Amino acid sequence: MAPSPRPGKSRWRAFGQLGPWLLLVAGLLLVRFSKGAGFADAYALITRPFWPGPAQREWIVSAQTVEDRSRLQLLEQDNLRLRDLLELQRNGSRQDDVGAPVISRSPRGWWQQLELGKGGLQGFQAGDAVLGPGGLVGRIASVTPATARVRLLTAPGHEIGVWLPRSRSHGLLVGRGSSRLTLQFIDKDPNVSPGDLVTTSPASTLLPPNVVVGVIQSLNEQAVPAPTAIIQLIASPEAIDWVQVRTR
Amino acid sequence: MARLHRQPICVASSLLVPLLVMGSPEWISIDGVGPAWALLWLLPWALTDGPISGAFAGLALGLILDGLSLGGVTQVPALLALGWWWGRLGRRGKQIQRSLNLGLLAWLGSVGLGLSVLLQVLIREGGSLDAFTQSWGWQTLWCQALITGLLAPMLVSLQLLFWRRRVPS
């Protein structure tokens, strides 16, 4: 075979044949050093219609709720067992809660009360705690066979003992007519701050223990003989149509 | 002489008062405080039927309303006194029927009722009220007086009209 009359041109042709392969290698190196960014982005773009939608997110949230509920149930059982050991009031169990409709309400005005559509026939008694979404709203003041009257926590002069879990201190919650209540501390230095949660006492025998009541809104450390705080209730009696009565 | 208390339908109309108190329609209120329904019924009754009937109606309404509300404070003295006073006003001079007069009487009655309740709260609290309770008391008193005074010209006029037709003096 006769040698090519133009050897430079044949070299360029050989390089041209290798070119695609070299480009491929360069592309692969790019993918390698970019941690596969192009592939991941392309994959995301192509598979976007098949991504898990809100329904699947709800399933996950629902599963989480079920898990939380089961965990809460186990903790409640554990709590009851421990309370039994300590011979404290056997409350905190949801089994004693009876739902009742609110048939009349006057959360403002001279008498701050609710009238419930269930009463003595359902086992309600004066003194039973009444809970709404958000926590304690009041206590039953009187019952008839078919109705019960609830004195709201906001009613002037209504007093209950409460507990502050963070500072582990006690106080007396007093209704003042408005949705903000006064908390009178017993200690001179209660070590509380705005935002602290207020609950019923864990050792309470009159009220169910560990029920959320409200949140400290402001603190008056200059009050005598002991500091006082303003509490914002979490449950709103103005908007509650159904309540839970924790019977004893 | 008027004999409103001898007419069962007129006496039965008083049953509306506890029903309205229990119903406490949210849309007839100022800042959540409703009118003094008892006064809106008692005012035309006493003006038409006289002081003794007015005082007795006030006593009866007060007892019913005390039964429907939390204990500790009573409305009986204020309602009884208002029934007597309005009854005497109805027996003296010209008939009271102008809207402004009716509104003013209802407003005064509501202020009197509120003051009697506030006084009882003050006594119950040992003679002094903290700033929050005072603020609640005055706000409730003025809100109730205002809404009662505003409703009175409409509702009391109507009742006066019906009852005076039934028992012309």
Side-chain angles (χ1 to χ4, degrees):
Chain A
M1 195 176 171
S4 170
R6 295 169 70 181
K9 194 174 180 182
S10 75
R11 268 202 301 276
W12 277 114
R13 190 175 291 161
F15 183 75
Q17 286 171 350
L18 277 177
W21 297 106
L22 290 173
L23 279 175
L24 180 65
V25 170
L28 290 174
L29 285 172
L30 199 66
V31 170
R32 168 67 185 81
F33 289 113
S34 70
K35 310 278 186 193
F39 276 95
D41 288 349
Y43 177 79
L45 190 69
I46 293 164
T47 59
R48 186 174 287 271
F50 308 104
W51 282 7
Q56 195 154 357
R57 191 162 59 228
E58 278 169 18
W59 297 340
I60 293 166
V61 171
S62 166
Q64 183 80 39
T65 309
V66 170
E67 185 194 341
D68 288 347
R69 207 175 291 161
S70 314
R71 197 160 156 267
L72 182 66
Q73 206 172 353
L74 288 170
L75 287 171
E76 273 188 349
Q77 284 170 3
D78 204 28
N79 182 272
L80 282 175
R81 187 178 58 78
L82 293 170
R83 294 188 77 81
D84 278 346
L85 287 174
L86 290 169
E87 295 180 345
L88 288 174
Q89 188 188 3
R90 193 187 163 80
N91 271 341
S93 160
R94 306 260 165 184
Q95 292 161 0
D96 300 332
D97 287 357
V98 180
V102 177
I103 57 172
S104 166
R105 81 179 81 219
S106 61
R108 299 290 184 93
W110 297 117
W111 292 272
Q112 305 197 342
Q113 61 187 45
L114 300 177
E115 204 77 27
L116 307 182
K118 288 182 180 175
L121 291 176
Q122 282 74 32
F124 294 1
Q125 294 173 37
D128 284 351
V130 180
L131 291 84
L136 190 71
V137 292
R139 295 171 73 188
I140 290 183
S142 60
V143 290
T144 68
T147 65
R149 186 163 304 143
V150 179
R151 182 192 294 270
L152 294 174
L153 291 180
T154 53
H158 192 184
E159 297 176 346
I160 59 163
V162 289
W163 169 253
L164 289 101
R166 192 186 65 79
S167 59
R168 307 179 71 78
S169 55
H170 283 99
L172 186 68
L173 192 66
V174 185
R176 297 294 184 203
S178 70
S179 60
R180 289 173 180 80
L181 296 87
T182 306
L183 177 57
Q184 295 171 349
F185 292 104
I186 296 161
D187 303 329
K188 285 199 171 177
D189 182 18
N191 184 27
V192 294
S193 53
D196 280 2
L197 192 69
V198 178
T199 68
T200 56
S201 169
S204 173
T205 51
L206 295 172
L207 289 166
N210 299 319
V211 175
V212 175
V213 177
V215 174
I216 292 184
Q217 198 175 42
S218 62
L219 191 64
N220 178 11
E221 290 178 299
Q222 308 303 320
V224 279
T228 59
I230 302 299
I231 307 297
Q232 175 71 53
L233 287 183
I234 295 176
S236 170
E238 287 96 343
I240 296 174
D241 288 331
W242 279 81
V243 292
Q244 300 288 318
V245 178
R246 196 158 287 183
T247 55
R248 290 182 288 183
Chain B
M1 189 183 165
R3 287 276 188 274
L4 202 55
H5 57 272
R6 296 262 172 94
Q7 305 214 11
I9 187 77
C10 298
V11 176
S13 69
S14 65
L15 293 176
L16 283 173
V17 174
L19 285 178
L20 285 165
V21 170
M22 296 276 288
S24 56
E26 192 65 28
W27 49 277
I28 310 179
S29 65
I30 294 177
D31 197 23
V33 181
W37 293 109
L39 299 185
L40 293 174
W41 183 89
L42 184 65
L43 174 57
W45 179 276
L47 286 176
T48 314
D49 217 30
I52 295 172
S53 175
F56 189 78
L59 173 73
L61 273 182
L63 290 173
I64 293 171
L65 295 183
D66 280 359
L68 288 176
S69 53
L70 294 166
V73 178
T74 175
Q75 299 183 67
V76 168
L79 289 178
L80 196 147
L82 287 169
W84 176 265
W85 177 48
W86 287 336
R88 283 176 64 84
L89 283 180
R91 285 280 177 268
R92 282 182 176 181
K94 280 196 201 169
Q95 278 191 345
I96 296 172
Q97 52 193 8
R98 285 191 176 179
S99 297
L100 185 67
N101 293 347
L102 295 174
L104 192 63
L105 281 177
W107 184 84
L108 283 172
S110 182
V111 170
L113 180 67
L115 284 174
S116 86
V117 172
L118 205 53
L119 185 67
Q120 291 174 71
V121 173
L122 180 70
I123 293 167
R124 197 182 60 187
E125 295 285 315
S128 68
L129 292 177
D130 64 296
F132 290 105
T133 313
Q134 277 184 34
S135 156
W136 157 78
W138 290 116
Q139 190 205 4
T140 306
L141 190 152
W142 294 125
C143 286
Q144 188 164 62
L146 183 60
I147 187 78
T148 307
L150 287 173
L151 283 176
M154 288 177 278
L155 300 180
V156 176
S157 296
L158 271 176
Q159 289 172 93
L160 274 179
L161 190 71
F162 290 137
W163 287 347
R164 281 180 177 160
R165 270 188 197 163
R166 292 187 77 90
V167 282
S169 51

